[in-house]
Amino acid sequence: MIIIRHYMRNLRSLEDTRIDLAVKKQNLVLNIYCIFYGGTIMIKLAPSILAADFNILGEQIKKIEGAGVEYLHVDVMDGNYVPSISFGTPVIKSIRNNTKLIFDVHLMVDEPIRLVNDYKEAGADIITVHAEACSDLVATIDKIKTLGLKVGVSLNPETPISRIENVLQDIDMVLIMSVDPGAGGQPFIPSTLEKIKDLKSMLDNKGISLDIEVDGGIRPDNVMDVLMAGANVIVTGTAVFRGDILENVNRYNKEFERYKEIVK
């Protein structure tokens, strides 16, 4: 019995050591990344107006801007690529002149190359397209870049990151969907965390610096897992727009600060 207890203590000690080394390794990679690319990791909250109250949309946008948010995530759905229809350029134009927020426009539409000019004119700063929705992804990326916009490419939960490996050096952001696209309020898919880690590892191995955005089911109580996996742009909807917006944003900011302390 004494031998068994001693063995179990040693086993627990080894497990603790393994976990500690894993955390230290991740922190070392993050710190090297910060030094190599010149500065601290920029964590950004991108509230999605899909969850806003459109009766008071302008008022709610001013509130998130006043809370220090820099990005506004705009989900555009065409009813073809995804079943739902959301809104288009008229809504974006109507709010563009009233805010200095960065418009992070997520096109959930078939063949988005047809529409990127329209969304540029409406006021987009970043246009993200789905790899699965483009018959010629390279041409779509090139078209967005020629308009002077930042470009992101999104992957659905079932799509492997290998699908976009050949374009990583040409884009500014990868958007990992952590729910099935097309509807808000869905629960976070846990397997997304491994996908984020795999993407981060691929980028590090290639020496590529870009934003990793994650969209779907991210709340203050699980955002730390997403950050630790390697993401730095967090899309959220109801968790910001439902209830007190300033208080909700502050909940995320507290987790962001806690993350920064962990990876120092």
Side-chain angles (χ1 to χ4, degrees):
M1 184 61 72
I2 293 172
I3 293 173
I4 292 173
R5 288 198 192 104
H6 179 70
Y7 173 77
M8 292 302 294
R9 278 198 299 269
N10 287 342
L11 191 61
R12 283 193 294 269
S13 178
L14 285 170
E15 180 65 12
D16 291 343
T17 300
R18 185 189 67 78
I19 293 169
D20 184 55
L21 286 173
V23 171
K24 286 180 179 177
K25 179 182 177 182
Q26 183 174 20
N27 290 350
L28 178 62
V29 169
L30 288 165
N31 287 331
I32 290 172
Y33 180 88
C34 289
I35 293 167
F36 186 78
Y37 292 112
T40 58
I41 296 172
M42 299 300 294
I43 308 298
K44 303 159 191 170
L45 186 66
S48 170
I49 61 170
L50 191 64
D53 182 345
F54 274 66
N55 285 317
I56 51 171
L57 179 58
E59 178 185 328
Q60 290 192 326
I61 290 173
K62 287 185 182 301
K63 283 184 178 180
I64 63 170
E65 191 169 14
V69 169
E70 298 178 20
Y71 277 33
L72 189 70
H73 192 78
V74 182
D75 287 308
V76 177
M77 306 177 189
D78 66 354
N80 291 311
Y81 179 66
V82 293
S84 303
I85 297 174
S86 58
F87 40 75
T89 54
V91 171
I92 298 172
K93 284 180 180 178
S94 72
I95 59 177
R96 176 69 280 182
N97 293 331
N98 297 316
T99 178
K100 294 180 179 179
L101 291 171
I102 294 168
F103 279 21
D104 173 23
V105 177
H106 177 195
L107 296 182
M108 288 177 269
V109 304
D110 280 325
E111 298 299 346
I113 194 170
R114 303 172 293 116
L115 303 171
V116 294
N117 276 314
D118 294 337
Y119 284 93
K120 155 74 173 178
E121 293 301 316
D125 297 294
I126 306 166
I127 291 182
T128 296
V129 299
H130 276 259
E132 307 90 349
C134 301
S135 59
D136 190 336
L137 180 59
V138 172
T140 304
I141 290 169
D142 289 344
K143 180 69 177 291
I144 296 169
K145 290 171 73 174
T146 61
L147 295 174
L149 302 177
K150 288 190 173 184
V151 54
V153 175
S154 183
L155 295 174
N156 287 341
E158 70 279 4
T159 306
I161 58 174
S162 59
R163 176 77 175 268
I164 60 168
E165 186 173 1
N166 66 315
V167 300
L168 290 174
Q169 71 278 3
D170 300 319
I171 62 179
D172 301 286
M173 181 170 72
V174 175
L175 168 55
I176 301 291
M177 294 300 299
S178 46
V179 297
D180 292 320
Q186 300 178 66
F188 182 84
I189 298 173
S191 60
T192 305
L193 296 175
E194 286 304 313
K195 192 173 185 178
I196 299 167
K197 291 175 184 177
D198 290 344
L199 173 61
K200 183 67 171 62
S201 178
M202 181 182 289
L203 294 172
D204 290 341
N205 290 335
K206 292 177 178 291
I208 296 173
S209 171
L210 51 73
D211 287 326
I212 299 177
E213 182 174 50
V214 184
D215 181 359
I218 305 176
R219 309 176 308 276
D221 62 357
N222 67 0
V223 69
M224 182 62 73
D225 294 334
V226 178
L227 296 172
M228 291 300 292
N232 71 301
V233 183
I234 304 300
V235 178
T236 183
T238 55
V240 163
F241 285 107
R242 185 174 296 168
D244 187 314
I245 288 176
L246 178 58
E247 184 178 321
N248 292 339
V249 170
N250 284 339
R251 286 195 185 101
Y252 282 98
N253 286 338
K254 286 177 182 177
E255 291 302 301
F256 295 168
E257 290 305 314
R258 191 163 71 90
Y259 167 76
K260 291 174 185 177
E261 288 297 317
I262 291 172
V263 300
K264 269 185 179 179

